[in-house]
Amino acid sequence: MLFKRKNSPQNQKSDGLSVSLEELIKQQNYLPFLQIKNNFETSTLSGEIKSALKGRGMELEEVRAYAYGDDIRDMDWRVTARKSEPFTKVYHEEKDREITVLVDMSASMVFGTRNELKTVSAAKIAALLGWYSLKNKDRFGALIFDGENSHYFKPQNNRQNLTAIFKMMAKTSENVLKKSTKGDISSALKILQIHQKGHGIIFILSDFSQIDVEKFKQIAALAKNNKVCCINIFDVLEEIAPPDGEYRAVYESQDLTFNTYSDSFKSEYRQYFAFLRENLRRSCQKFSCKYIEIRTDIPVFKQLRII
């Protein structure tokens, strides 16, 4: 399906083809609709964040004599045995988290039949997570991949960094309309592995069309020391066959013609895309990654549930 641009890039009104800086800033207004659990664990419970403090950190601060009320799980049994009296470990309190988003804007993401392109949905999700991080005093970073180049922003907790990320996403979403590159998201994942030191939260925003079993091993490697969430962004046409009719499409420079009249075609069509999503879901489950589906024809803030 073809889109026709009705608004210039300078116009703040959304056309669904690219995303403006103004639109990304406005995502702040949708924060009350989000359901994000504080510790990002897989759970059926949800609730608002009441404190910026995240509890016990990972870095050991000292070993001291046990005091009433200390957590028995933090006991240092070696020192206790040597001193013949109870000693406990004290950790630095973890006051912030490091949250990083990988925003895929390669060629396969420059697609959408209703409401907006997948690149636009990805940018809006990243903006929502960015505003959430800033509000919650977490450090927020991003890696924006256009199919050829990767733009990395170190996690920080300030509005200047967030604005810089938004500007790059807006610019990239506009540029890929003129020239998009199929690319290989594995190159972006390699860059993320270099910068990500562990114990952070990583959101991968993509349609995962370029991710096979081998490439998913890179995501699995990130999941060993980080909490990883794969957000699968797809179009309604990648779930339900188009209305009855004859269609012409171009795939890898080849002209294809197909019709959607038969029930068997519609069933096979639906099963094919469901199979792809199920494979991705199983890969995420295998390597302890969170899995979320987002459709481009529904506002992202109504779908984003990380509980």
Side-chain angles (χ1 to χ4, degrees):
M1 182 174 291
L2 298 177
F3 286 91
K4 294 183 179 180
R5 179 179 292 279
K6 296 182 180 180
N7 303 297
S8 65
Q10 290 76 26
N11 196 322
Q12 294 184 16
K13 186 177 179 180
S14 172
D15 57 11
L17 298 179
S18 62
V19 66
S20 67
L21 175 61
E22 289 76 13
E23 285 181 271
L24 296 178
I25 291 174
K26 287 180 180 178
Q27 296 306 306
Q28 181 179 196
N29 299 331
Y30 300 118
L31 284 181
F33 296 92
L34 299 187
Q35 294 183 27
I36 304 181
K37 189 172 174 63
N38 189 19
N39 56 9
F40 187 60
E41 293 176 351
T42 302
S43 171
T44 57
L45 302 177
S46 64
E48 295 184 8
I49 307 304
K50 299 300 182 183
S51 171
L53 301 183
K54 310 303 186 299
R56 194 193 76 171
M58 299 298 294
E59 185 178 349
L60 181 65
E61 181 175 349
E62 65 174 333
V63 176
R64 60 164 172 77
Y66 178 83
Y68 178 78
D70 287 340
D71 194 333
I72 190 68
R73 294 173 296 179
D74 293 334
M75 290 286 293
D76 190 322
W77 298 108
R78 291 184 179 180
V79 177
T80 297
R82 189 168 66 250
K83 299 285 188 178
S84 299
E85 58 179 300
F87 275 77
T88 186
K89 299 175 183 177
V90 179
Y91 295 86
H92 283 295
E93 190 169 37
E94 186 180 343
K95 296 181 183 295
D96 63 0
R97 294 175 298 185
E98 187 172 282
I99 297 175
T100 305
V101 294
L102 193 167
V103 187
D104 183 5
M105 290 190 170
S106 58
S108 65
M109 293 286 287
V110 190
F111 178 77
T113 60
R114 299 182 191 175
N115 195 37
E116 61 193 22
L117 301 185
K118 290 188 276 188
T119 51
V120 175
S121 294
K124 288 181 178 178
I125 295 169
L128 281 167
L129 293 171
W131 283 119
Y132 166 81
S133 301
L134 188 66
K135 177 184 177 182
N136 202 43
K137 296 180 173 58
D138 293 319
R139 286 173 288 139
F140 181 78
L143 193 155
I144 302 164
F145 177 64
D146 65 7
E148 184 176 7
N149 301 305
S150 294
H151 307 275
Y152 179 73
F153 294 83
K154 182 180 178 181
Q156 300 178 48
N157 180 244
N158 60 70
R159 189 168 182 135
Q160 291 79 9
N161 185 58
L162 195 60
T163 301
I165 293 172
F166 289 176
K167 286 181 178 178
M168 180 55 69
M169 288 196 297
K171 179 181 178 181
T172 304
S173 74
E174 187 68 36
N175 289 342
V176 294
L177 292 178
K178 304 168 187 175
K179 180 186 176 182
S180 59
T181 305
K182 185 176 181 180
D184 187 345
I185 197 174
S186 62
S187 63
L189 290 169
K190 288 178 182 177
I191 294 174
L192 200 58
Q193 284 178 309
I194 294 172
H195 290 284
Q196 203 69 24
K197 303 304 181 182
H199 308 298
I201 300 175
I202 301 172
F203 293 90
I204 302 176
L205 317 180
S206 176
D207 60 2
F208 297 90
S209 62
Q210 304 299 318
I211 295 290
D212 55 22
V213 175
E214 285 301 311
K215 292 174 184 175
F216 200 91
K217 290 180 180 178
Q218 292 179 285
I219 297 177
L222 286 168
K224 285 183 179 179
N225 298 311
N226 303 276
K227 295 176 181 178
V228 176
C229 178
C230 295
I231 300 184
N232 183 18
I233 303 169
F234 64 97
D235 185 80
V236 64
L237 199 61
E238 295 169 311
E239 182 176 37
I240 304 170
D244 291 351
E246 189 171 277
Y247 296 86
R248 179 175 175 269
V250 178
Y251 177 72
E252 294 186 349
S253 301
Q254 293 184 354
D255 288 340
L256 303 172
T257 302
F258 63 95
N259 69 72
T260 59
Y261 292 107
S262 70
D263 291 337
S264 61
F265 174 86
K266 294 175 184 176
S267 177
E268 290 178 10
Y269 185 99
R270 183 172 58 254
Q271 289 175 15
Y272 170 74
F273 286 106
F275 173 76
L276 295 179
R277 291 196 301 276
E278 181 59 26
N279 272 353
L280 178 59
R281 185 185 294 108
R282 288 181 179 178
S283 294
C284 289
Q285 185 178 22
K286 180 179 179 180
F287 296 105
S288 301
C289 300
K290 184 113 178 140
Y291 176 78
I292 296 175
E293 293 182 353
I294 297 289
R295 252 173 53 170
T296 60
D297 59 324
I298 304 172
V300 295
F301 72 88
K302 292 184 178 181
Q303 304 177 74
L304 193 57
R305 299 291 183 267
I306 306 170
I307 59 178

